[in-house]
Amino acid sequence: MGQLVNGKWVGGSDRQIGASGWEPRNEGFRDRVSSDGSTPYPAVAGRYLLVECPGCPLAQRVSMLHRMKRLEKVVPTVAVLPVMGEHGREFFREAPGQPEPLTGFRYLYEAYLASDPAYTGRASTPILFDLDQGRILSNNTRDIFAMFDRAFDALTEVHNSLLPPALTGQITAVMDEIYSGVTSAVYKCGFAREQSVYDTALRQLENALDRWEAHLAQNRWLLGNNMTEADFMLYTSLARYDAIYIPLFRTTTRRIADMPALSGFLARVHQLPGVAGTFDLHACMTHYFRSHLHINPTGLIPAPPALDWLSAPDKESRHA
C-alpha cells in the first residue's frame, strides 16, 4: 500500500488507493510496438512481457484479448499477487520472497523505478515490459489492447480485430460513456468521503446500468453485431459488480443478477475463447477486500453470491 514520490516508495495507510477519495490513473508510459517499422519497437516474439494482476479489471481486459489472440508464446506473462502489501504489489513466485526471474524484480514498483528513477505515481497494472531494454514500454491499458489487437498478427493465427478502424469513433464514444457511468462511478461510490459525492455517483451508475440493460436487450453487443473493446471493458466491471462492488463500494440499488440482458451479456463474453481463464472470482475478491482496508479495515472476505452467468449457456440465439 503506497506509491512512488520522486522515485522513493512511500507507504502508510494515508497512501492507500482511495484513502483521499477517487483518483485517476497515471498511464504516462506510451511507447508502442509496431509491425511496420513506424516505432523503434518491432513486433517480435519473446521481447516483451505482459505483467498481469488477478482481480484488476483493467489488467483483465488486456489479458482477455491476449488469450483470445493466442499470444501466450509471443508475449509471455507474469502476475503480481492480488493483495497490495507494505511495498505495493509483489510478483508471484513459487518460492516467496525471491525476485521474478525474467525481470529480476520482487515488487512491481521496481519496474517503474527502472523505467523512470524519479517516477511519481502508483505502480499499476497492466504493463507491457521491454525485456531487451529493461523498462516499461507501456502502462496504458488502451494502448496495450491496441497493440495486441493488431501489431502481433503476423505471429498468431487469430487475426480478428476488436478495434476495426471504421468503428474507431463509435468505440471511443461508447467506452467514454462506460468509463464515466460505470467504471469510474463504482469507485467514486466506494471511495466517497461525502454523502453528496456518493449520492451523485450512485445516480450516475444507476442510470448507466439501466441504459445498457435496455440497449443489450435489443443488441448482442454494445455496437450491435460488432464485438469490440467496449464489450470487454463493460464485462470486466459487471463481472465484479454483485460479488464486490455491492458489498464493498455500497452500490446497493442494482444487482446484475436482476438484469437479464446484462446477465446474458456477461455469459456471452465469459464463454468467448480464453476469457474464462482470465477471471478468478476468489482472486478478485481478495484483491479488493484485502487491499482497500480504509473501507474494509478487518480485511474479511465475504462469501461470494451465486453468479449464474459464470456457467449459464448463451440462450439468446435471436442475436446470433
Side-chain angles (χ1 to χ4, degrees), residues 202-278:
L202 185 63
R203 285 194 297 271
Q204 192 174 19
L205 178 61
E206 292 170 340
N207 291 337
L209 292 177
D210 292 346
R211 182 253 199 279
W212 295 121
E213 169 71 11
H215 179 79
L216 287 166
Q218 303 298 323
N219 297 275
R220 183 169 179 80
W221 306 113
L222 293 173
L223 270 69
N225 292 322
N226 298 288
M227 182 177 64
T228 69
E229 182 183 2
D231 296 293
F232 281 23
M233 182 183 190
L234 183 60
Y235 164 88
T236 56
S237 289
L238 298 183
R240 290 155 175 78
Y241 198 91
D242 287 2
I244 297 167
Y245 297 155
I246 288 176
L248 185 64
F249 290 167
R250 303 179 294 275
T251 59
T252 50
T253 57
R254 297 288 188 279
R255 288 197 320 155
I256 304 304
D258 298 328
M259 308 181 85
L262 291 180
S263 295
F265 169 79
L266 275 173
R268 283 195 296 282
V269 178
H270 193 72
Q271 293 170 44
L272 293 170
V275 171
T278 68

Side-chain angles (χ1 to χ4, degrees), residues 31-293:
D31 287 319
R32 287 175 175 261
V33 173
S34 65
S35 58
D36 59 3
S38 59
T39 72
Y41 308 99
V44 295
R47 174 169 174 171
Y48 309 103
L49 181 72
L50 176 63
V51 180
E52 305 174 309
C53 176
C56 173
L58 294 172
Q60 188 194 2
R61 190 202 314 173
V62 168
S63 298
M64 289 164 65
L65 183 61
H66 178 269
R67 305 304 193 273
M68 181 178 289
K69 298 280 282 192
R70 299 177 186 171
L71 292 173
E72 294 93 327
K73 294 182 179 180
V74 177
V75 180
T77 64
V78 295
V80 293
L81 298 172
V83 177
M84 286 182 284
E86 181 181 356
H87 295 93
R89 302 200 185 282
E90 184 174 359
F91 282 97
F92 173 81
R93 294 288 291 122
E94 293 292 343
Q98 298 300 309
E100 192 283 316
L102 292 177
T103 62
F105 303 138
R106 179 175 176 183
Y107 299 105
L108 181 62
Y109 79 81
E110 296 175 273
Y112 279 78
L113 284 181
S115 309
D116 179 359
Y119 184 80
T120 292
R122 303 280 181 193
S124 61
T125 57
I127 64 174
L128 190 63
F129 192 83
D130 186 340
L131 291 169
D132 282 6
Q133 296 191 2
R135 70 175 189 90
I136 296 172
L137 188 74
S138 178
N139 71 337
N140 183 280
T141 305
R142 291 213 64 186
D143 287 357
I144 300 173
F145 194 97
M147 286 183 261
F148 287 167
D149 188 72
R150 293 184 295 270
F152 295 94
D153 274 3
L155 303 174
T156 178
E157 297 178 354
V158 182
H159 299 154
N160 57 303
S161 173
L162 272 69
L163 292 169
L167 298 178
T168 297
Q170 295 178 60
I171 294 170
T172 298
V174 170
M175 291 183 69
D176 287 347
E177 190 173 351
I178 294 169
Y179 178 80
S180 61
V182 181
T183 306
S184 65
V186 293
Y187 284 91
K188 289 177 180 178
C189 286
F191 296 159
R193 291 295 174 268
E194 297 179 5
Q195 188 67 47
S196 61
V197 174
Y198 167 81
D199 291 342
T200 298
L202 185 63
R203 285 194 297 271
Q204 192 174 19
L205 178 61
E206 292 170 340
N207 291 337
L209 292 177
D210 292 346
R211 182 253 199 279
W212 295 121
E213 169 71 11
H215 179 79
L216 287 166
Q218 303 298 323
N219 297 275
R220 183 169 179 80
W221 306 113
L222 293 173
L223 270 69
N225 292 322
N226 298 288
M227 182 177 64
T228 69
E229 182 183 2
D231 296 293
F232 281 23
M233 182 183 190
L234 183 60
Y235 164 88
T236 56
S237 289
L238 298 183
R240 290 155 175 78
Y241 198 91
D242 287 2
I244 297 167
Y245 297 155
I246 288 176
L248 185 64
F249 290 167
R250 303 179 294 275
T251 59
T252 50
T253 57
R254 297 288 188 279
R255 288 197 320 155
I256 304 304
D258 298 328
M259 308 181 85
L262 291 180
S263 295
F265 169 79
L266 275 173
R268 283 195 296 282
V269 178
H270 193 72
Q271 293 170 44
L272 293 170
V275 171
T278 68
F279 183 75
D280 182 331
L281 180 58
H282 178 71
C284 287
M285 296 185 73
T286 301
H287 170 82
Y288 281 89
F289 286 96
R290 288 278 172 84
S291 296
H292 298 301
L293 298 181

